[in-house]
Every structure is written in C-alpha cells, then in structure tokens.
Amino acid sequence: MKAITNGSVYTPDQVLAPGTVLIEEGRITSVGSADTVTVPPEAEVIDAEGRAVVPGFIDVHMHGLMGHDAMGPGLAHVIRDLPAFGVTAFLGTTLTLPHDETLAGLEAMVKVLDAPPPGAQCLGIHLEGPFLSPTRPGMATSDWFEPLAWEDFQTFQQAATGCIRMLTFAPEVNGAMACIPRLIEAGVVPVIGHSDATFEQVAEAVQLGLSHATHTFNAMRPLHHREPGVVGAVMYFDEIVAELIADGVHVHPAVMAILLRVKGVERVALVSDAAPLAGLPDGKYEWEHKPVFVRDGSCRLADGTIAGAHALLDSGVRNLVNLVGLPLEQALVPATRVPADVLGLRKGRLAPGYDADIVLLDSELRPALTLVGSKIAFDRDLEQK
C-alpha cells in the first residue's frame, strides 16, 4: 500500500488541501482531506510537500519524442520517456508512409506492445492516415494516401493484431463514411481529420456515430460564415470531442479560448501531436523522409508547414493555465478525464476504483513525480542526482 500525503489533491469535484490518496494493487482506494483519511501504519508514504496531486495525463495523439518515433521499435523509448512529462497513458500514433512501410511500422509497434518496458502505458495505436484528403494533407505526403475501404482497414488492423484503437480519416473521400458504424462495432474510435468535408457531410457522419476530431483547426476545412466546414461542425455538434494542440504554435491562444468556451472543457481533448523531434534542440532533422527544422519551439518543413509539435502534453496543460487563463482544475480535464472517457478507461480521475496514475506538479506546474499504476515511473529528484 502507498499513501500520498500533504498535497493539494485535485479530485473530480474539489481540491483538497491538504489531501490524502491511498493506493493498493495499482488502484486508488481512498481520497479525502487529511483529517478524514487515516494512513495505515504499514503504508509507504509519499510526502507531496505541498505540490499539486493530479491525475496522470493521457495523450491519444502523439508520434514520439527525444528522437524516438512511436511508429516502430522506438515506441519502447517513448514509453520510458513520457512519464517525465506527466504522461501516464497514451496511444502511439502513426504517420502516413508507403503501404508496406506502414504495415512494417505497425508490426514493429506490436512487438513492443507484446512486452512493453516500464513507463507510460501504451493503450494501443492511433492510425493517422493513409485515409486522408489530398486537399488537407498537412505535412503528410498525399502520394501515399489511400481511399478507405473496410478491407483496407482490416489489413492494417491485422498487422496491428487488433491494437488500433483510433482511426483518423477523411469521411468524405470515396465513400469512407460507410465505415463509421463498422469501426464503432469493432471498438475503434472513428476520428475526422485531414478532411475537406462540408458541414453537411460532417453532419451525416455524426448521424452515423462520428464523435471525435483530430487536432481541431489544423488540416481541416475552416469555418466560413456561409460554409461552416469541418471546424464549424466540430464546434456545433456536441457529440464531437475536439482534439486541441495547445502548444501555442498550432492554435492561437485566443482561438483556444474560443473553442473551450464553445465546447466546454468536457468536450475538448488536449493532445500533444508531438513529433519524434519533440524536446530536441534546434537543428535540421528528418521525419517521414523529409527534412524537418526545429526552431523557436516548433517543427516545420522547409516551406514552413508545421510538422507535428515540439512540446509535450504537460506544456499544453501549462498553456491552458498561463495563456488561456483557465484555473488548473479546469485545465486538467481535457488532459485527463476527457481522453479517458473517449477510450472508456478507469483513468483520468483521483477517485476510488480508478487506476493509480498520478502526477505531482510543482509550483510551475512541471512534473516532479509520476506514478503509473502506483509504481514510480519518474522521480525528478532521482533524475537530477
């Protein structure tokens, strides 16, 4: 048994300061104020020393970090490295590559998932592409795009041995819309992204069960007052959970605030979209067979196109507080509770019965200690010795 004491505990309903969290066999067993929860004498006590005690961050859209690509054997390094950024669970996200390379990448990811190293829990795979619109490719190479047909998706899912949990695609392309009910039946979250769909086409997709959108505002038909497009539909339909990259590069802080006001924190999922170059120093690198330049906190192609993010999910939480002005208890919701609910997980909340994925944040909202399933996966004090 473990006990976290002497911290400001962020529960789903209130902040307990000081609060206590009891943990046993990887699950939270009790949460309460210090004067209402008794710490058993045999418990291993973690003194939070006044820090914020919050649920672990869940990133459903990230490609890698520190030079390691999640789409391949580098996934093992991603698992090890993410707890330093407060991420306790995530989906390893692919990028559009030639068909055979995509299959090979999925097979390499599965080998890691069969025997994962200690670190963040990789919940499965988010397949981003190749079923995208050539009109909204972002940094992806449209020559490698394919129209979505159910048989094609099954080929990828077979290579992934059933580990694909989310699929980003353009529903308006080549009748892809018809796959939405089948994806849901198979337990895969259908996600609109890299899409040039009209408002009416998104409305049709919502009727079929669409409920999630990839990196809102980026690589999708923008809002226009006579054609609301994908962006307008994402904001209009309460059914859609909108991913948001809050690195301060992909989306202006004022637009972040607009999205959060329209959707509410309960319908926005914070994601990093971190590139494998995230966290690396400025310089020229290669990703997706292309030169990518890291400069001033962003990753870009030679023509200026954004190529994933340079920041991790903890930066997004800080930006919601510091750039958008949300109180921490609200900024946490899109990074914890919302993605957990999207995937149907007992995570994302400090409450009895939930997984003991917990982060201690210092006064600057930087991770000082990360627990994954009650096991310490990152301890800044030990890292600095």
Side-chain angles (χ1 to χ4, degrees):
M1 172 177 281
K2 286 187 173 72
I4 302 175
T5 64
N6 194 29
S8 295
V9 178
Y10 284 72
T11 76
D13 304 311
Q14 59 184 323
V15 181
L16 304 170
T20 299
V21 181
L22 299 184
I23 303 164
E24 192 167 10
E25 296 182 352
R27 292 289 181 92
I28 297 170
T29 58
S30 183
V31 179
S33 58
D35 59 354
T36 62
V37 177
T38 300
V39 177
E42 71 275 13
E44 175 189 344
V45 176
I46 298 173
D47 186 349
E49 300 179 341
R51 297 184 175 107
V53 182
V54 306
F57 305 150
I58 302 169
D59 196 346
V60 299
H61 191 144
M62 72 89 56
H63 298 276
L65 76 163
M66 306 301 295
H68 304 297
D69 195 328
M71 190 180 178
L75 178 60
H77 295 278
V78 175
I79 290 171
R80 294 189 186 99
D81 290 348
L82 277 176
F85 302 91
V87 177
T88 56
F90 72 104
L91 291 179
T93 306
T94 66
L95 197 68
T96 298
L97 292 173
H99 187 89
D100 290 346
E101 290 186 40
T102 300
L103 292 174
L106 292 171
E107 291 167 356
M109 295 173 81
V110 168
K111 288 182 180 179
V112 174
L113 294 177
D114 284 343
Q121 182 184 1
C122 184
L123 303 164
I125 297 170
H126 181 165
L127 189 70
E128 184 182 18
F131 311 120
L132 311 177
S133 167
T135 307
R136 305 287 175 183
M139 74 158 291
T141 303
S142 57
D143 290 347
W144 300 330
F145 289 178
E146 303 175 27
L148 173 60
W150 183 245
E151 294 74 19
D152 298 317
F153 170 74
Q154 286 182 307
T155 298
F156 288 120
Q157 185 68 293
Q158 183 176 4
T161 65
C163 289
I164 296 173
R165 300 285 303 276
M166 300 184 84
L167 171 67
T168 288
F169 68 108
E172 77 279 7
V173 176
N174 288 78
M177 195 92 65
C179 291
I180 292 174
R182 302 185 76 172
L183 289 166
I184 295 170
E185 184 179 0
V188 178
V189 179
V191 185
I192 186 170
H194 292 268
S195 168
D196 196 45
T198 64
F199 181 87
E200 287 73 20
Q201 287 172 321
V202 181
E204 181 183 351
V206 169
Q207 287 292 317
L208 291 170
L210 180 77
S211 61
H212 199 93
T214 279
H215 45 53
T216 307
F217 303 109
N218 293 279
M220 58 175 59
R221 183 189 283 249
L223 173 68
H224 187 277
H225 60 282
R226 283 191 288 271
E227 168 44 60
V230 180
V231 170
V234 169
M235 293 196 288
Y236 180 82
F237 288 104
D238 292 339
E239 294 91 335
I240 298 179
V241 170
E243 288 184 4
L244 174 64
I245 306 171
D247 62 350
V249 175
H250 282 76
V251 183
H252 190 282
V255 179
M256 292 187 222
I258 291 169
L259 180 68
L260 288 159
R261 288 178 191 176
V262 171
K263 300 290 291 183
V265 294
E266 296 281 358
R267 303 304 293 167
V268 174
L270 203 65
V271 297
S272 69
D273 196 23
L277 314 178
L280 293 181
D282 287 2
K284 180 181 179 182
Y285 301 90
E286 183 176 301
W287 184 33
E288 202 215 31
H289 305 299
K290 298 175 182 178
V292 178
F293 300 84
V294 173
R295 188 178 300 116
D296 300 326
S298 70
C299 304
R300 297 180 183 270
L301 302 181
D303 64 1
T305 300
I306 297 176
H310 189 255
L312 280 300
L313 205 59
D314 62 323
S315 292
V317 172
R318 287 193 295 274
N319 286 340
L320 291 188
V321 173
N322 298 325
L323 299 182
V324 178
L326 293 185
L328 178 58
E329 56 265 32
Q330 291 187 27
L332 290 169
V333 174
T336 58
R337 193 183 314 171
V338 175
D341 290 349
V342 166
L343 294 175
L345 307 173
R346 294 287 288 179
K347 296 180 182 290
R349 293 168 172 83
L350 298 188
Y354 282 78
D355 290 352
D357 297 344
I358 301 172
V359 180
L360 272 58
L361 299 176
D362 65 19
S363 60
E364 296 181 344
L365 305 183
R366 296 183 182 278
L369 185 76
T370 302
L371 283 75
V372 179
S374 80
K375 296 180 180 179
I376 295 176
F378 169 74
D379 185 335
R380 188 172 63 194
D381 290 341
L382 292 179
E383 295 285 330
Q384 292 176 346
K385 289 182 179 180

